[in-house]
Amino acid sequence: MPLAIADTYTYSIPDSIACLEVGTRVLVPLGKKTITGIVYRIHCENPDETISPDIRLRDIIEVLDEQPIVLPSQLSLWRWLADYYLCTIGEVMAAALPARLIDNDYTARTEVYISLHPRFTDVEQLQPVFDSLKRAPKQQRLLEYFLELSDAFDGAPHIVEQRQLIEHSGESTAVLRTLIEKQILVASHEVVSRIPSYDADIEPAHPLTDQQQRAVDEIRAGFAEQKVCLLHGVTSSGKTEVYIHLIREMLAQGKQVLYLVPEIALTTQLTDRLKKVFGKQLGVYHSRFSDMERVEIYKDLLNSTEPKVILSARSGVFLPFRNLGLVIVDEEHDSSFKQQDPAPRYHARSVAVVMAKAANASVLLGTATPAIESYYNAQTGKYRLVEMSERYAGLSLPRIGLVDLKRQYHRKEMFEHFADPLVERINKQLTEGKQIIIFQNRRGYAPYIGCKRCGYVPKCCNCDVSLTYHKRTNTLVCHYCGYTVSAPQSCPNCQGEWRDFGVGTEKIEDEVTGLFPEARVARMDLDTTRNKNSHQRIINAFARHEVDILIGTQMVTKGLHFNDVSLVAVLNADSMMQSPDFRSSERAFQMLEQVAGRAGRTGSQGEVIIQTFQPDNPLYAYLQKHDYKSFYTAQLGERKTFRFPPFYRLVVLTLKHRDYTRLDTAARELSERLRKVFGNRCSDVIIPPIARVQNMHLRTIRLRIEANASFAQAKAILMQHVRYVQTLPNCKGTVIQPDVDPM
Ligand code: ADP
Ligand code: ZN
């Protein structure tokens, strides 16, 4: 059942149920409720030895499916996920199945079609009908439109969608109803698919370059050795082309392919490219689709072994593939492959490797900036490393220049947040008709505001964070829980004036409009992309060069391809490196290299300007040389010294409670117990930088286990203590969430 309380439940099968299969949905009683569950196992065992044999189990109420809707391979994957990520199989189920499939309230979409009444067999017979309609011009006109649209008696389509007919004729449905009552037209309901169909012409894939061909050959060789392949290809080396060729081969062998991308990269840029090559064999599984559409893609796969390629964000690993040949994880370093909340807190890359192994399928990871863990696996021979070091068409990688903000501010050679040399470069590019991307990794206008007189800073009432000022909506917003209030005119304490601190994308937009009044400017961040198609609209406008300068958060870094972008500016790179997280350097490197990769993808060489207060940070030297390997080596040294992945595996426990005292007791109790078992592998109680979110106080405890020790055993011991502490009276109600392999 899609629940977090216990793993599985046992019910008896009443005589009224003649046939039951694993993987079918059933209705069962739970307390006073009726719940939908999936049959996980059919057996004759007493579920609990302590239950005496004469206690009767409760009966299954009803079987909902004739055929299983979950395949055995999916159930074993669910089992693996629940065990590895320390959650219940029900939580996995809730994440894995489209909600409508669980609730059983999926309905097929039907359309109404209109056709001519069968009593008419040739055109002549319609003449008396038209005569009879002389006094009813509306009905006459509707019938004329129908004949025009349907080509009745002439060629193929004799039926017309009701909607189309009404739209074209401009007549009402009442008029149509009269014609149906007079037995001139008939209406019929037909089931139609919600999945958009692609009718565009199929184009052949591009021929591969030598470098790409070599990569394809090496990947094939790696697959033959049953190894996961890591394709490390610089930005714009044509990794997508390599994927396309491998996918085509798989489809030709009658196999299915899962193509995973970060959510944000599911733009029409990529889907259009794939549609052209794969046509109807392409399916897109998208969280922006309605749940009904997702059920249809799910059912389609469930009922067929036809060759298909499914493009999806991380949840694609839960689809019912019957004939999987290949899983591609594009931009494999991207942290959006990891689900943070709720459980299962899984990483789609790890799940992909497990699911592919079970299906005897191959796995290809691709990126310009591999995750340290993945590259380590390649270096140690666990994965096969395949490299493409040249950009397509002989283009060079962008030139990366640094601007020392300390010096600029000192010499007063700044305009607001733009150093003079940057302003100069932007002006030059604009005169040459080029496009510019400006990267600022904070949304809103100012991260916080404070009173000029008394220093008061508005904070969220649910979380320990300051509220971010949004000028466009004149609101103060909590970026943790979404709490929003309209911004007060002045300080509520002393009526003093506000001053804003820090800078977000909105403020940058204002500065850009002031600095470059002629330029057409757009902004892409969470706030401008809330509507269904707004993200797409901004990208399309920029791709068509209707916008000169695009300002954005990390959304602009991912997998986009624009022809005329010659300059990428990073306004303040330091904030990315300041977080205490052990991954902050890795993330900063990846993000900067990726955002730089948007520059100069056709024609002239691209240029990147990074503004920073620490131009001596060694990370920039690696970046300027596009030297991933040296960056990796340096990082690996740090990871070893400070006992982090890939040398250690981590579990972070987050403890939550409304009651501060109980939380504190539980955290200390748990950490003390764990330290007795695990010694210094277990941390003390950690107070997170933001110690209260949505009225829940937070504490964390971190456990690290040597990579060569038994992780499963360590996790089992860990969970025993977690469960024990949750039963202690003075810790009651503490929520404890394990996060395995945290990002
Ligand atoms: P990456 O994914 O490595 O960043 P892409 O696959 O997006 O690179 O390729 C970058 C650009 O080069 C795209 O516009 C793509 O169409 C073009 N390209 C790459 N390889 C070829 C090829 N073999 N033939 C034609 N165009 C190519
Ligand atoms: Zn909040």
Side-chain angles (χ1 to χ4, degrees), residues 223 228-231 239 243 247 257-262 311-314 317 326-334 336-338 347-356 362-368 374 383:
F223 289 167
V228 172
C229 288
L230 173 63
L231 175 61
K239 294 183 287 296
Y243 304 152
I247 295 168
V257 178
L258 173 61
Y259 186 159
L260 294 174
V261 291
L311 179 69
S312 167
R314 61 171 185 255
V317 296
L326 172 64
V327 185
I328 295 171
V329 186
D330 189 22
E331 312 292 358
E332 62 88 29
H333 64 278
D334 197 289
S336 74
F337 284 123
K338 168 89 176 177
H347 198 302
R349 182 182 58 216
S350 308
V351 180
V353 171
V354 172
M355 85 189 281
S362 307
V363 180
L364 174 61
L365 314 177
T367 174
S374 300
Y383 294 174

Side-chain angles (χ1 to χ4, degrees), residues 460 462-463 478 480-481 483:
C460 178
N462 309 314
C463 315
C478 172
Y480 282 79
C481 72
Y483 171 80

